[in-house]
Amino acid sequence: MTEQEGFDNLFREIWDDLVRAVGERRNPFHTPVVASLGPDGVEAHVVALRRVTPEQREITFHTDLRAQKILRFRENPNVEWVFYDAARKVQIRARGRMSVHAGDDPIARDAWERTRLMSRRCYLAEFGSGTILDAPSSGLPAQFEERSPSLEESEAGYVNFAVCMTTVHRFEHLHLAARGHLRRALTWNGETFEQAWLAP
């Protein structure tokens, strides 16, 4: 195998791993960390990977539109995702620009239509994420603390629903090994991903 073939295989492997993780809740890549920069510094959050579209270089999660991270994404859309599989000793970092889709945006509506009722319940919370409370609370209305809403009831949560979509412009793949770690980068040049070895 040539070095180019090795990089091409790695490129396909990264996207295949991410696509697979969307539908596998126990896959370690299903719950990556997303880091962003705001006025108070760097903040990082564990999110659930909701959609991966290799053809558009997009990776997506959903969140409450009232969350403070939405403001950070809009002020500074540069973000980095970190995926780690301890069993395989593989880390993938994905850097790109975040776009937020909500309300009348067809991307948000399409994602909402594919969202399960159990997940829709989160968006019925009475308070936005991070709101200071007087006492411990799930934030959910009492009628939904023990059950999922009906389809009709869930629609009230759409006003709080947001799709956070990153267009990736750089991957870094790190494989940890006793004989020596290997680290490679794939960087978008406007037409394709350029490949390079990096010191681990």
Side-chain angles (χ1 to χ4, degrees):
M1 180 186 299
T2 67
E3 185 171 302
Q4 181 62 46
E5 288 172 334
F7 273 116
D8 291 343
N9 287 344
L10 173 66
F11 181 74
R12 286 190 295 272
E13 178 185 319
I14 289 172
W15 283 116
D16 288 348
D17 279 346
L18 298 184
V19 168
R20 189 179 309 112
V22 171
E24 297 177 355
R25 296 181 67 186
R26 295 189 179 186
N27 187 316
F29 284 175
H30 183 71
T31 49
V33 171
V34 176
S36 60
L37 184 62
D40 296 325
V42 176
E43 290 200 26
H45 303 269
V46 175
V47 301
L49 185 64
R50 293 301 183 193
R51 191 166 194 182
V52 174
T53 314
E55 299 79 11
Q56 277 75 48
R57 313 187 332 269
E58 294 168 349
I59 51 179
T60 300
F61 72 91
H62 303 162
T63 195
D64 194 305
L65 186 61
R66 298 167 292 180
Q68 288 298 307
K69 58 181 169 286
I70 294 294
L71 296 177
R72 291 199 308 278
F73 295 154
R74 287 175 168 164
E75 290 174 0
N76 184 346
N78 298 300
V79 299
E80 183 154 288
W81 297 58
V82 180
F83 303 82
Y84 184 63
D85 185 333
R88 294 168 50 205
K89 297 184 178 179
V90 169
Q91 173 186 272
I92 296 172
R93 292 164 56 192
R95 191 175 300 164
R97 292 180 65 82
M98 185 72 77
S99 59
V100 176
H101 305 268
D104 294 335
D105 190 314
I107 290 174
R109 177 48 72 178
D110 177 64
W112 180 255
E113 295 299 330
R114 291 182 283 105
T115 299
R116 297 181 304 167
L117 287 177
M118 186 176 73
S119 297
R120 285 186 175 198
R121 183 175 71 157
C122 300
Y123 302 98
L124 293 168
E126 297 172 317
F127 311 102
S129 174
T131 299
I132 296 174
L133 304 175
D134 293 330
S137 172
S138 69
L140 291 170
Q143 69 265 34
F144 299 128
E145 287 192 345
E146 299 296 329
R147 70 172 177 87
S148 292
S150 68
L151 184 62
E152 183 178 358
E153 289 171 329
S154 74
E155 283 298 324
Y158 182 65
V159 68
N160 300 321
F161 179 74
V163 174
C164 297
M165 179 183 294
T166 299
T167 302
V168 178
H169 61 73
R170 181 179 174 88
F171 284 117
E172 286 193 15
H173 184 277
L174 175 65
H175 182 244
L176 303 175
R179 291 187 174 184
H181 311 322
L182 293 176
R183 182 179 172 196
R184 291 174 279 185
L186 300 164
T187 306
W188 182 252
N189 66 11
E191 295 181 2
T192 188
F193 279 90
E194 295 180 349
Q195 308 160 51
W197 289 101
L198 302 174

